[in-house]
Amino acid sequence: MNKPNRVRLIATAAASLTAVLALSACGGSSQAAGTAPSASGASSVCPNGEVKFGVEPYEAPDKLLPAYQTLADALGKKLGCTVKVQVVDDYAAEVLAMKNGKLDLGEFGPLGYVFASQQAGAEPIASFADSTGKLSSYKAGIWVPKDSPIQSIKDLKGKSLALGSNGSTSGDALPRFALKQAGIDEKDVKLDYAGGHPEALLALKNGKVDAGEINTQTMTRAVAEGTFKKDDFREIWASDPIPNDPITIRKDADPAFKKAVTDAMLQLSPQDMQKVGEFLDIKPAGTLIAVTKDEYKPLFDLASALNLTEKNL
């Protein structure tokens, strides 16, 4: 991939405009689904009787939608209105959709939230707890074949490295930051953006690259599905724990709506979270817990360390 594509965190706004326009309130996209409205009619706290909920594409939409539909159904029942789920095309599309009022709620990757906060004023209200009630986390990692001569991240100079997607916390920014900390210039590593976490894993598994990023969430799913033999590979770098995705609300939402959504989310059960928890590697699943911007300060620091600004959108 050429240098301009390597250094940008999120796709350009122009390239994402079509995806954003697809996020209309009543769109019939195959990537969207919603709950049935309550028998009593539209809720007094829901915008137009419907809540538009965006989710970033950290896995294939056809896999994510059934899981998030369970969460949406439970939330919709408590609010008394339809919660319409949309798995967006990319990180930029979700930020722009929130900025342009096309989403009421948005689950962003931790680093994606940095830009959603800066560009759209997205406010975090909840995230996913483990079974003890603590904010869950995951880790980024770089893996190589077990017989590879690569022993540490410093040995990646002159080698190829599969990354997930532009804008991903564990699949883009953190591995690049690790290279920087190791004193390796990005131009001295062939960075291959595979198009997602599962695709980066496959690139490594199929011998297309010398090394590949695999976060703990993707690793757990691949091992459970029998598509990856962990013993055939070796981890040469792992990040510190990354706080799991925040669910955010648009900054100009009515205060009554903000309170109703926040209260409803914090009342959801572990059973409501179970299917989403499987994707986020939270087993057994916990509830949603309240979060603020403070929990994600390390991600704001990361964006600063990599000199990422709104120009990267």
Side-chain angles (χ1 to χ4, degrees), residues 60 103 231 266 283 289:
L103 293 177
D231 291 344
L266 300 183
K283 298 176 183 179
I289 57 172

Side-chain angles (χ1 to χ4, degrees), residues 8-313:
R8 67 174 183 173
L9 173 65
I10 306 176
T12 62
S16 300
L17 181 58
T18 300
V20 174
L21 293 177
L23 293 168
S24 59
C26 299
S29 169
S30 61
Q31 296 183 15
T35 67
S38 65
S40 60
S43 167
S44 61
V45 298
C46 295
N48 301 314
E50 179 179 88
V51 177
K52 298 180 287 292
F53 180 20
V55 179
E56 89 276 9
Y58 63 90
E59 180 56 88
D62 62 335
K63 294 182 178 181
L64 289 179
L65 275 174
Y68 279 90
Q69 188 60 54
T70 299
L71 191 162
D73 286 344
L75 181 60
K77 287 178 182 178
K78 289 190 177 297
L79 292 175
C81 60
T82 298
V83 177
K84 192 177 186 68
V85 179
Q86 175 78 45
V87 178
V88 299
D89 288 347
D90 56 40
Y91 296 88
E94 188 174 15
V95 173
L96 285 172
M98 178 69 79
K99 182 177 180 179
N100 294 335
K102 301 295 184 180
L103 293 177
D104 302 303
L105 304 174
E107 180 186 333
F108 290 92
L111 192 59
Y113 159 62
V114 171
F115 287 91
S117 172
Q118 293 173 342
Q119 298 303 305
E123 300 176 5
I125 54 176
S127 188
F128 302 88
D130 61 23
S131 60
T132 70
K134 295 181 180 179
L135 178 60
S136 61
S137 63
Y138 63 106
K139 290 184 178 182
I142 295 178
W143 290 71
V144 298
K146 66 178 182 180
D147 57 354
S148 169
I150 300 172
Q151 298 298 316
S152 74
I153 198 167
K154 292 183 178 180
D155 297 327
L156 288 175
K157 188 173 183 179
K159 306 297 184 179
S160 56
L161 170 64
L163 297 178
S165 303
N166 288 298
S168 170
T169 308
S170 61
D172 182 15
L174 280 172
R176 288 172 47 213
F177 186 57
L179 292 174
K180 181 177 180 178
Q181 288 183 310
I184 301 175
D185 195 304
E186 286 186 16
K187 64 180 175 54
D188 293 326
V189 180
K190 182 182 177 183
L191 299 180
D192 182 1
Y193 284 87
H197 297 297
E199 290 80 7
L201 181 150
L202 283 175
L204 175 63
K205 176 183 174 182
N206 295 334
K208 303 296 185 181
V209 290
D210 298 307
E213 72 83 10
I214 309 175
N215 69 25
T216 52
Q217 296 169 339
T218 301
M219 174 66 74
T220 298
R221 290 196 299 274
V223 170
E225 293 169 357
T227 58
F228 190 82
K229 293 183 179 179
K230 195 173 179 179
D231 291 344
D232 291 342
F233 298 86
R234 178 166 39 86
E235 189 174 45
I236 62 167
W237 170 82
S239 72
D240 291 333
I242 308 164
N244 244 320
D245 298 0
I247 297 177
T248 69
I249 193 166
R250 55 190 295 180
K251 66 177 181 179
D252 59 349
D254 183 88
F257 174 63
K258 288 183 181 181
K259 184 179 187 307
V261 170
T262 301
D263 290 348
M265 284 189 172
L266 300 183
Q267 293 170 13
L268 296 179
S269 71
Q271 289 71 31
D272 298 328
M273 299 296 109
Q274 185 174 349
K275 290 185 178 181
V276 173
E278 291 175 359
F279 282 102
L280 298 176
D281 194 22
I282 310 171
K283 298 176 183 179
T287 60
L288 288 172
I289 57 172
V291 293
T292 68
K293 189 175 181 178
D294 292 342
E295 280 83 7
Y296 299 92
K297 184 180 183 302
L299 286 309
F300 284 84
D301 295 340
L302 175 63
S304 178
L306 288 174
N307 297 317
L308 301 171
T309 71
E310 67 277 1
K311 294 180 181 179
N312 298 107
L313 286 174

